[in-house]
Amino acid sequence: MTILRIASLLVPARQRAEWLAEWSAELRYIDRHRPQMALRFCLGAFRDGLWLWRNQPFRFDSAAACISALVFAAVATALLALWLRPVHLLGPLEILVAAVLSLLILPAVTTFSPGDYSGHGRAHRWGFLALKIALLVPIINFGSLDLGVLIAPQMQPHGLIVGFIAGFRWALLDQRRRCPVCLRRLACPTRIGTSSHLLLEWYGTELICTRGHGLMHVPEIPASSYSMQRWVELDRSWKSLFDVPAL
Amino acid sequence: MTAGPKLSHTAALILQAIHAGDGYGFSVMEMTGLPSGTVYPAMRRLERDGLIKSQWERQSIADTEQRPPRKYYRLTRSGHAALEASQKRYPLLAKLTEAGQ
C-alpha cells in the first residue's frame, strides 16, 4: 500500500483518489489470492501513474500557462542564485559563446524546420518562440550557477552548454506541437497508416487542436510528398464538433 | 484507405480479454499474462479513445463479498467494432485469451 501511495503522487490530483481506490481494490484481491504477485503488481502502478501524468489534459496547454511557468522558473532560479551567492560568475560574452556553441550543436539533436503552416499566424508564433528563448536564457544561466554552487564550480560552463542545447531543443519541439492559430498544445496524437504503404498513403502521426482550428500531419519518414510536418486548417463547418468554440 | 483505427497486438489482446473475461484489471492481467504496468496504461488509452468504458461496482455487491468495490471495464460499440477488425487481423487472438483463462 505504501508503494501505491508513493506512485499516486505521479497521478494528477483530481484523479488521484479514484486511481488509488482502483489499485487498492485490486491489491486487496491479489493479497488474498496471489500474495506472491503483490510486489510486482504494485510496481506497475508507477508506469500507470506516469502515463496519467504525461497524458493529463492541462499541462502548460495554453501559451499563457507556458510563459507563466517559464517566468516562475526564471524567478525561482534567480532567487536561488541570490541566496547561494556563487563566487565564479560568467560574463555576458562567455554566456553568448556558450549559446552560439549550443546553436551549432543543436542540429545534431533536432531539426530547425518549423513545418509547413502556409503563412498562419507567423508573427505571433515567432514572437512566442522568441519569448520562450528569452526566458530560457536566464533560467539556464541561473540554473547552471546554482548547480555550480551545489555540485562543483567547474561544472558551470558545461552545465550552461548542456542546458542551452536541452532548452533550445525543448523550445523547438514545443513550438512544433502547438496550434499556429491559438498556440495551444495539440492533442490526441494518432498513428496513421503503415510504413509498408508509404508509396500510396502518408504514414505518421496526426494531432488535433482541441479548439478545432486544424490538424497537424507529422510524417514518420520524410518523403517527397510530406518532407516536413504540415498544418491543415479546418473550416468553420467543423466548428460544431468541438465543445469549446474556436477563437 | 484504412477503415478504422488499427490496434497494436497488445491493445487488441487486452480488448479481447475485457470482452471475454470479467472486465477488471487483474482478470485482464491473468488472461493475457501481461504485467500491471502494461495492462493499466493500455486500458487508460483504450478508454481515452472511446473503445472501452469503466464503471464502479455497486457498494452493496462489494459489501456482500467483504471487499472494496472494483472498477469494471466493458467494450463500447466502437470497441466491439475495433475488436472484430482486430480478430480478422490477428486470427489467434481468441485462442490466446482462451488459453489464459
Side-chain angles (χ1 to χ4, degrees):
Chain A
M1 200 59 204
T2 311
I3 297 173
L4 288 185
R5 283 191 194 285
I6 295 169
S8 75
L9 297 175
L10 289 167
V11 181
R14 61 189 172 79
Q15 292 169 280
R16 195 169 296 149
E18 191 184 348
W19 181 89
L20 199 56
E22 183 182 6
W23 277 85
S24 314
E26 293 298 321
L27 180 62
R28 182 79 70 90
Y29 185 85
I30 290 167
D31 262 342
R32 199 181 291 176
H33 299 279
R34 302 273 176 88
Q36 72 280 8
M37 279 185 70
L39 179 66
R40 211 171 148 221
F41 174 79
C42 289
L43 290 175
F46 284 95
R47 273 189 76 182
D48 189 31
L50 197 64
W51 189 90
L52 287 168
W53 181 78
R54 289 180 64 192
N55 288 277
Q56 57 184 306
F58 191 79
R59 194 159 50 97
F60 308 132
D61 240 14
S62 68
C66 177
I67 295 299
S68 307
L70 288 176
V71 169
F72 175 77
V75 172
T77 48
L79 288 175
L80 188 62
L82 275 174
W83 183 63
L84 291 171
R85 292 179 189 278
V87 182
H88 304 282
L89 290 171
L90 292 176
L93 188 68
E94 289 159 310
I95 295 168
L96 187 70
V97 168
V100 171
L101 198 63
S102 314
L103 283 173
L104 292 172
I105 301 169
L106 199 59
V109 289
T110 189
T111 172
F112 280 121
S113 161
D116 178 7
Y117 294 93
S118 313
H120 279 285
R122 187 169 286 181
H124 76 284
R125 266 193 305 115
W126 285 109
F128 177 59
L129 179 64
L131 193 55
K132 274 193 297 187
I133 290 172
L135 285 165
L136 279 171
V137 172
I139 293 172
I140 294 158
N141 183 32
F142 289 124
S144 68
L145 279 174
D146 299 339
L147 269 181
V149 175
L150 293 171
I151 302 170
Q154 297 86 349
M155 277 192 69
Q156 200 207 334
H158 304 97
L160 200 61
I161 294 170
V162 172
F164 275 134
I165 295 169
F168 292 156
R169 182 177 182 269
W170 169 81
L172 289 169
L173 288 176
D174 178 73
Q175 193 73 8
R176 286 197 287 263
R177 290 293 174 271
R178 285 185 183 271
C179 168
V181 181
C182 63
L183 293 177
R184 294 184 82 84
R185 290 275 296 183
L186 297 166
C188 307
T190 311
R191 294 291 292 269
I192 307 279
T194 52
S195 52
S196 54
H197 295 137
L198 184 63
L199 195 66
L200 300 171
E201 295 173 19
W202 84 280
Y203 162 55
T205 307
E206 192 176 87
L207 298 114
I208 193 165
C209 169
T210 51
R211 299 287 176 103
H213 294 128
L215 299 165
M216 181 73 82
H217 297 292
V218 185
E220 188 78 22
I221 302 163
S224 54
S225 54
Y226 269 94
S227 57
M228 62 173 85
Q229 67 175 35
R230 187 178 294 172
W231 176 251
V232 179
E233 192 181 4
L234 295 177
D235 61 29
R236 296 181 72 83
S237 62
W238 293 84
K239 208 175 162 185
S240 59
L241 289 175
F242 297 88
D243 294 329
V244 186
L247 292 174
Chain B
M1 288 289 284
T2 50
K6 278 182 185 171
L7 296 176
S8 69
H9 186 259
T10 307
L13 195 60
I14 290 168
L15 212 57
Q16 169 73 25
I18 293 170
H19 175 63
D22 296 327
Y24 53 87
F26 188 61
S27 87
V28 175
M29 283 170 60
E30 286 213 303
M31 287 179 78
T32 58
L34 294 167
S36 60
T38 302
V39 167
Y40 282 91
M43 292 202 302
R44 313 264 176 240
R45 209 174 303 126
L46 291 170
E47 191 173 17
R48 182 198 64 189
D49 295 344
L51 301 180
I52 59 172
K53 61 180 174 184
S54 61
Q55 197 172 19
W56 280 96
E57 182 181 33
R58 278 213 306 273
Q59 187 70 48
S60 57
I61 298 170
D63 287 345
T64 316
E65 295 181 24
Q66 292 183 323
R67 57 172 176 77
R70 292 180 121 154
K71 201 176 187 182
Y72 284 89
Y73 293 85
R74 62 191 175 90
L75 267 61
T76 60
R77 191 176 289 179
S78 20
H80 279 288
L83 180 62
E84 271 178 39
S86 301
Q87 281 169 341
K88 283 176 192 156
R89 195 173 176 211
Y90 308 114
L92 294 175
L93 203 62
K95 287 190 179 176
L96 278 172
T97 44
E98 277 165 24
Q101 272 179 315

